[in-house]
Amino acid sequence: MTSEITLFVNPTAGRGRGAHAAQPAAFALRDRGFSVRTVIGEDAPDALRRAREAVEGGTGALIAVGGDGMASLALQAVAGTRTPLGLIAVGTGNDFARALGLPVREPAAAGRIVAEALKGARTRDIDLGRAGGTWFGTVLASGFDSRVNDRGNRMRWPTGRFKYDLAMIAELAAFKPVPYRITLDGGDVHETEATLVAVGNGSSYGGGMRICAGADLGDGLFDITVVGACSRTTLLKVFPRVYKGTHLDHPAVTVHRATTVELAAPGVTGYADGEPLGALPLTAECVPRAVRVLAP
């Protein structure tokens, strides 16, 4: 393995924590004998182009410094290659880092773990989801949660996570269940009214909401959580349970497991790792051992 490592940095992640977090990560790597090169793009497409160039150029590892958006960009560069991916998670969600058992908003600790994993050649190969040519590590969301994202992304004010809280309140007032057609592994078809459908490679999204609590990054399967048609009152009662994963016991919730899933529903956008994929229908495939990660 080459001793040159690439730090892939989002300077605006976590209200500026991205730029600050790069420093202790770089120190931990240099302290263990690695040569560190930093890549900062002008925008997302430019950042991805630079990350891909680093991977194609033979970098020893790509270390994403930021939140889930930066992790998602990094996945597009390293998935399907043998270049290891490390995460210094300092964003607002950090669900992919949580799934890997990495520290959150502790850049020095995360940097040491990545450096020691590189030094000892300790890596893990994990599954990824792929939909419409885009790789994802955690959850493909659709329905109520994706409409909250749609509304929040349109809002100019307030900033930060609070605007998504307001967007959720607004969507809750207007939301009605959506007719879904869910096709599992090309043949098992479920037609149902649903509040949301989440396709989980990892277990959580939205900063620790364990919507697909049983998902395993190494089993070659998605966990597909379907929250059926329910009243606003029921949704408000069930929603807090998602942080512990106990919502899966509610009678309105069903879970399927499959390697591929096609979701079709009118007027619904799919989001993967918090990033918009486009309107349904979408087909997602679980790809075993698609990326090598530096993690405990």
Side-chain angles (χ1 to χ4, degrees), residues 178-210:
V178 177
Y180 270 85
R181 180 181 175 89
I182 305 167
T183 306
L184 305 176
D185 290 332
D188 186 8
V189 178
H190 301 259
E191 296 191 6
T192 185
E193 295 273 320
T195 299
L196 66 86
V197 179
V199 179
N201 181 57
S203 61
S204 72
Y205 64 1
M209 292 188 288
R210 302 183 67 228

Side-chain angles (χ1 to χ4, degrees), residues 142-152 154 167 171 174-176 178 266-269 271:
S142 72
F144 176 73
D145 42 9
S146 64
R147 288 190 172 179
V148 169
N149 264 322
D150 285 340
R151 183 181 288 269
R154 293 193 301 267
E171 282 299 324
F175 188 79
K176 294 180 180 178
V178 177
V268 176
T269 302
Y271 281 76

Side-chain angles (χ1 to χ4, degrees), residues 216-231:
D216 184 333
L217 293 172
D219 66 357
L221 295 169
F222 288 131
D223 275 32
I224 299 120
T225 300
V226 181
V227 179
C230 58
S231 67

Side-chain angles (χ1 to χ4, degrees), residues 104-119:
V104 170
R105 300 193 189 98
E106 297 181 39
R112 288 192 296 270
I113 288 172
V114 166
E116 290 300 328
L118 276 170
K119 200 70 176 178

Side-chain angles (χ1 to χ4, degrees), residues 13 23 29 61 70 75 77 144 157 165 202 215 249-250 268 293:
Q23 298 171 15
L29 288 161
M70 204 63 179
L75 284 177
F144 176 73
W157 184 92
D165 293 336
D249 297 330
H250 193 278
V268 176
V293 295

Side-chain angles (χ1 to χ4, degrees), residues 47-183:
L48 179 55
R49 177 185 63 80
R50 293 173 187 240
R52 282 176 168 157
E53 286 176 352
V55 171
E56 290 166 3
T59 187
L62 187 68
I63 315 299
V65 185
D68 282 331
M70 204 63 179
S72 176
L73 270 182
L75 284 177
Q76 311 317 308
V78 299
T81 77
R82 304 321 295 160
T83 302
L85 172 67
L87 295 179
I88 311 298
V90 291
T92 53
N94 305 309
D95 288 284
F96 195 36
R98 285 189 177 90
L100 295 175
L102 289 165
V104 170
R105 300 193 189 98
E106 297 181 39
R112 288 192 296 270
I113 288 172
V114 166
E116 290 300 328
L118 276 170
K119 200 70 176 178
R122 296 193 303 273
T123 61
R124 290 165 54 195
D125 291 342
I126 64 166
D127 306 339
L128 291 178
R130 184 168 56 190
T134 298
W135 297 94
F136 64 95
T138 56
V139 176
L140 191 167
S142 72
F144 176 73
D145 42 9
S146 64
R147 288 190 172 179
V148 169
N149 264 322
D150 285 340
R151 183 181 288 269
N153 291 342
R154 293 193 301 267
M155 293 169 64
R156 299 288 184 181
W157 184 92
T159 59
R161 295 191 64 179
F162 184 53
K163 74 176 178 180
Y164 291 98
D165 293 336
L166 291 181
M168 184 177 71
I169 293 169
E171 282 299 324
L172 189 62
F175 188 79
K176 294 180 180 178
V178 177
Y180 270 85
R181 180 181 175 89
I182 305 167
T183 306

Side-chain angles (χ1 to χ4, degrees), residues 227-278:
V227 179
C230 58
S231 67
R232 296 184 186 92
T233 301
T234 299
L235 188 57
L236 283 170
K237 287 180 179 178
V238 173
F239 180 78
R241 295 168 56 179
V242 76
Y243 287 96
K244 293 184 177 179
T246 56
H247 64 292
L248 299 181
D249 297 330
H250 193 278
V253 178
T254 56
V255 177
H256 308 280
R257 289 186 172 88
T259 57
T260 63
V261 56
E262 180 182 354
L263 302 179
V268 176
T269 302
Y271 281 76
D273 289 344
E275 302 297 314
L277 286 177

